Amino acid sequence: MLEQYAETAYRGKQETKFRNEIATDERDSMYCRYQSKQALFPRGSVFGHCYNNDQKSEYKYNLSGKSEEYRSILCRKKHGVELALSSNATNYIDVLVFSWVILHITLLFLIVSFPFVSFVLGDYKNAFDYVLYIFIAWAISKLFNVFVWPVFRHKIKLAVVFNRLTGGVSVPDYSSRKLDTLPFKEFNAHYKVSHNPKSGFPYRGFTLLHFTRSARYEVTYNNDISCGFIHWELLQNFMDITQPLADIPQFEYYREFDKTTAEFDKANGRPKYFWYRVDKSFLKEMSKADDELRKEFNDEEQLDNLLMGKPIKKLTPPDIFKFPWKYADNIKAECDIKFGKTLWQKFTSFLMVDL
């Protein structure tokens, strides 16, 4: 049965018979057994591009040096084509770290909001004491982050690593002490939905799950399924060495280290380090083009198609996603590239915890 499932699921076909019967005893996680029965995202492109809302942040992270810092911590090679991505919590270490981050952010929010609330309520007497206690808790968290966390940070694996050159996906084990590496072609993207307990709105995305084991990578966005499709295409593009990398800020660093992409850039006259040199206002043009393309994509209809195993409507993106440099006006010279955080970015980074 496993061989039959592999032959169907790997090609993106909705063979319910095999999907619903597969690996019920082989997996050690009941959650993964449940996820393995969910609808499959089709392989291949739907939107035809990988540009999503995250690229605005990736553009800033590149220039501030945050992306380089993440790569140095999460990736295993100094120079290579490894993409490290944070997943939804998949083990108890993930849960602890995530809870710590949320607690730290909550303390920051209270430090700012408490004086205002106390002023409105007229409780001036106790306001200072409350803020002082909250500040001490924040300071303890920050000191732990600066002096204790780095001591054992390198021993903990917090990200799933996708290796374009080897075709492997390295997933942290239950203890987050080591990575289990498995071929990308043995993973399937199964529909995943979770609900915001406050608003009740669903978060839709997918669980990238190995077809027999519980190794997985999970991501959810808002209630639009289109975000999940684009991220799935991003992963497929990154792992497909027969095609050049998508021209997005997130992949700029990798282009010169990937042979297929470097040859494509040279043949088409692409400016080197384009996303380090183009003005940030160009991202608005990319987002506008993405918005226009999404108008052709009926999200609810395509979600129904996904759940029913019907074909998903494929879109034809404009050339701005394949050759963005041809549509950009303000491209700086290489010598004018500046990396580093602004004073505001340094200040906000200091306030937060650094993972």
Side-chain angles (χ1 to χ4, degrees):
M1 187 193 304
L2 295 180
E3 290 77 10
Q4 291 174 306
Y5 178 78
E7 286 299 312
T8 55
Y10 291 172
R11 297 189 181 130
K13 298 178 181 178
Q14 293 281 13
E15 294 291 347
T16 307
K17 173 185 174 182
F18 300 124
R19 188 177 73 244
N20 289 345
E21 296 177 2
I22 191 64
T24 55
D25 297 324
E26 289 82 351
R27 298 181 192 275
D28 56 7
S29 166
M30 182 179 297
Y31 172 78
C32 290
R33 291 199 293 270
Y34 166 79
Q35 277 299 126
S36 69
K37 300 180 186 297
Q38 303 309 303
L40 282 167
F41 276 61
R43 292 186 179 268
S45 64
V46 172
F47 276 79
H49 71 81
C50 302
Y51 189 90
N52 56 20
N53 291 331
D54 293 340
Q55 299 312 312
K56 298 176 183 178
S57 298
E58 294 295 338
Y59 175 87
K60 296 178 182 178
Y61 293 164
N62 281 338
L63 298 183
S64 68
K66 201 170 185 178
S67 292
E68 178 63 28
E69 182 181 353
Y70 286 161
R71 281 191 295 269
S72 65
I73 295 174
L74 301 176
C75 294
R76 294 163 295 182
K77 298 180 180 179
K78 185 176 181 180
H79 297 297
V81 193
E82 288 187 339
L83 180 66
L85 298 175
S86 298
S87 173
N88 290 353
T90 57
N91 55 51
Y92 74 96
I93 296 294
D94 286 347
V95 173
L96 289 175
V97 173
F98 178 75
S99 301
W100 171 35
V101 172
I102 295 299
L103 174 62
H104 191 91
I105 295 174
T106 302
L107 291 173
L108 276 175
F109 173 77
L110 292 176
I111 289 174
V112 175
S113 63
F114 226 96
F116 175 76
V117 174
S118 299
F119 176 79
V120 172
L121 298 177
D123 187 12
Y124 311 113
K125 183 178 180 180
N126 296 320
F128 178 79
D129 290 339
Y130 290 147
V131 173
L132 179 61
Y133 296 148
I134 296 171
F135 176 80
I136 291 174
W138 170 85
I140 292 173
S141 175
K142 187 63 183 180
L143 290 172
F144 177 85
N145 180 231
V146 174
F147 296 105
V148 181
W149 179 244
V151 174
F152 54 88
R153 170 64 187 86
H154 68 282
K155 298 179 181 179
I156 299 177
K157 313 300 181 184
L158 292 178
V160 176
V161 180
F162 296 84
N163 191 313
R164 178 175 168 90
L165 298 184
T166 65
V169 181
S170 299
V171 183
D173 66 359
Y174 185 73
S175 66
S176 290
R177 294 297 182 89
K178 65 178 182 177
L179 295 170
D180 294 329
T181 302
L182 300 161
F184 178 72
K185 66 180 182 180
E186 294 183 0
F187 285 80
N188 298 304
H190 293 271
Y191 173 69
K192 173 180 173 59
V193 61
S194 58
H195 292 273
N196 186 325
K198 294 182 179 180
S199 67
F201 287 108
Y203 290 160
R204 305 188 192 281
F206 63 85
T207 297
L208 190 67
L209 180 65
H210 189 265
F211 84 108
T212 58
R213 298 175 58 178
S214 294
R216 69 189 191 273
Y217 163 79
E218 295 186 341
V219 61
T220 52
Y221 292 93
N222 53 22
N223 62 334
D224 292 334
I225 195 61
S226 57
C227 297
F229 277 122
I230 293 177
H231 190 69
W232 173 225
E233 290 183 35
L234 184 149
L235 295 181
Q236 291 182 93
N237 171 260
F238 189 82
M239 299 300 285
D240 184 3
I241 60 174
T242 66
Q243 299 294 326
L245 289 169
D247 210 329
I248 55 178
Q250 191 172 5
F251 290 170
E252 182 62 63
Y253 168 82
Y254 305 103
R255 301 189 75 86
E256 63 179 316
F257 302 114
D258 180 63
K259 181 180 178 181
T260 305
T261 308
E263 291 176 350
F264 173 85
D265 289 350
K266 183 177 180 180
N268 289 278
R270 180 188 186 273
K272 192 174 183 180
Y273 307 136
F274 167 71
W275 286 109
Y276 299 156
R277 299 162 56 186
V278 70
D279 188 83
K280 64 179 181 180
S281 61
F282 179 65
L283 276 69
K284 294 182 180 180
E285 295 186 39
M286 297 286 287
S287 297
K288 184 178 179 181
D290 181 50
D291 291 340
E292 290 296 321
L293 189 65
R294 287 181 189 237
K295 291 179 180 179
E296 304 176 25
F297 189 84
N298 186 317
D299 203 89
E300 292 185 7
E301 179 182 350
Q302 302 313 314
L303 174 59
D304 288 341
N305 288 341
L306 174 70
L307 298 179
M308 296 298 293
K310 297 179 181 179
I312 309 298
K313 179 179 179 179
K314 294 191 175 184
L315 303 177
T316 303
D319 278 352
I320 191 174
F321 293 107
K322 189 174 182 180
F323 308 106
W325 70 90
K326 295 183 179 180
Y327 297 83
D329 295 325
N330 301 319
I331 304 177
K332 296 182 293 187
E334 278 191 58
C335 59
D336 293 331
I337 299 176
K338 294 182 180 179
F339 296 102
K341 297 178 181 178
T342 63
L343 289 176
W344 175 251
Q345 289 173 329
K346 290 179 180 179
F347 175 69
T348 53
S349 295
F350 169 76
L351 294 177
M352 304 297 290
V353 292
D354 185 8
L355 298 179

